[in-house]
Amino acid sequence: MSLFPDVQRKAQDEVDRVVGPNRLPEFDDYENLVYIKAVILETMRWMPVVALNVPHYATADNAYKGLHIPKGATILVNIWAILHDPEVYPEPECFNPDRFIKNGELDQDVPNPLNVAFGNGRRICPGRWLSGASLFITIASVVHTFNIHPVLDANGKTFDPSNHEIEGVVTSIESIPCTVTPRSPKAEALIRSNETPIQTLK
Ligand code: HEM
């Protein structure tokens, strides 16, 4: 949100319209928060969490498009390349949730990145439903109640995540310098009214 203020503004406009100022977003709002859904899709596409998936292993000899894949071969699926294919997602380096929206709905003709970002086959991520729900409620709640602003560096430039990646199986970047403030006194009151004690599992 700090890197793409226009996206933040559009997301805030949508939650203001659909949810209104008197409550936090709920899961029942999901169907009506089309732009938030598109933000989730674009987030998972633009910087997939597991860029090369985890290694899979061929249990039998196989052939794919003329290539022989011997039994025992290790296979890495290039999730990053699939989700940055300019034929499928024009200008793939641009963070643009609108690429998934047509006539106010999710465009079913644009391949859904969630079908790729969680891996494939029998070992596909079993946490994908929990992740989707968590992304939705977190993104909707945060944009509803907070403004996230970039902190400029000494040269007046915003943070460029591509210069701050941390190597590893899971894509991560260094902390993005930003400020997070309540959008309004009413938003702050809403946040405080929803404070609940942390419960531990027994
Ligand atoms: C945005 C969040 C997440 C992403 C992008 C993600 C992605 C992935 C990917 C790409 C794999 C490898 C799938 C394959 O082998 O083809 C995987 C495996 C796995 N994920 Fe996730 N994951 C996420 C969140 C979670 C969560 C929240 C949980 C648990 C609550 C979870 C549990 C697992 C487990 C247990 C496996 C191993 C499955 C197996 O090998 O059988 N993941 N995940």
Side-chain angles (χ1 to χ4, degrees), residues 44 47-56 77 79 114 116-132 134-135 170:
M44 299 294 281
M47 196 171 281
V49 177
V50 196
L52 282 178
N53 204 2
V54 296
H56 281 221
V77 175
I79 291 176
L114 303 187
V116 178
F118 289 106
N120 28 55
R122 286 183 294 173
R123 305 305 290 268
I124 193 169
C125 175
R128 59 196 187 281
W129 310 116
L130 176 62
S131 306
S134 305
L135 285 166
V170 173

Side-chain angles (χ1 to χ4, degrees), residues 15-17 33 41 52 56 73 84 89-90 103 105 107 117 120-121 127 134 141 146 155 161-162 167 179 202:
V15 279
D16 287 352
R17 203 174 57 250
L33 291 174
L41 298 181
L52 282 178
H56 281 221
H84 287 76
Y89 306 106
N103 301 327
E105 298 290 336
D107 184 350
N120 28 55
S134 305
S141 301
F146 293 103
N155 301 318
S162 59
E167 286 181 22
T179 60
K202 290 201 175 132

Side-chain angles (χ1 to χ4, degrees), residues 5 12 82 138 153 168 181 185 191:
Q12 289 175 331
I82 295 170
T138 305
D153 68 14
T181 50
I191 299 160

Side-chain angles (χ1 to χ4, degrees), residues 11-169:
Q12 289 175 331
D13 286 348
E14 185 180 63
V15 279
D16 287 352
R17 203 174 57 250
V18 173
V19 176
N22 298 321
R23 64 175 179 87
L24 287 174
E26 295 165 3
F27 285 107
D28 284 348
D29 296 312
Y30 182 76
E31 283 313 318
N32 298 320
L33 291 174
V34 176
Y35 192 73
I36 299 291
K37 289 196 238 180
V39 169
I40 295 170
L41 298 181
E42 184 66 342
T43 303
M44 299 294 281
R45 184 201 68 79
W46 185 69
M47 196 171 281
V49 177
V50 196
L52 282 178
N53 204 2
V54 296
H56 281 221
Y57 168 87
T59 51
D61 281 342
N62 218 324
Y64 180 73
K65 291 192 174 173
L67 288 174
H68 173 61
I69 301 173
K71 179 179 176 178
T74 299
I75 299 165
L76 293 172
V77 175
N78 194 339
I79 291 176
W80 181 278
I82 295 170
L83 296 178
H84 287 76
D85 180 349
E87 302 279 322
V88 182
Y89 306 106
E91 296 188 76
E93 302 308 326
C94 288
F95 187 88
N96 174 23
D98 281 306
R99 68 173 79 246
F100 294 105
I101 298 178
K102 193 173 171 188
N103 301 327
E105 298 290 336
L106 285 189
D107 184 350
Q108 301 302 329
D109 292 335
V110 181
N112 186 332
L114 303 187
N115 292 337
V116 178
F118 289 106
N120 28 55
R122 286 183 294 173
R123 305 305 290 268
I124 193 169
C125 175
R128 59 196 187 281
W129 310 116
L130 176 62
S131 306
S134 305
L135 285 166
F136 167 71
I137 209 68
T138 305
I139 292 175
S141 301
V142 168
V143 298
H144 189 40
T145 47
F146 293 103
N147 283 320
I148 303 177
H149 295 286
V151 173
L152 305 183
D153 68 14
N155 301 318
K157 293 226 160 39
T158 50
F159 181 84
D160 177 359
S162 59
N163 294 333
H164 297 270
E165 288 160 358
I166 299 169
E167 286 181 22
V169 173

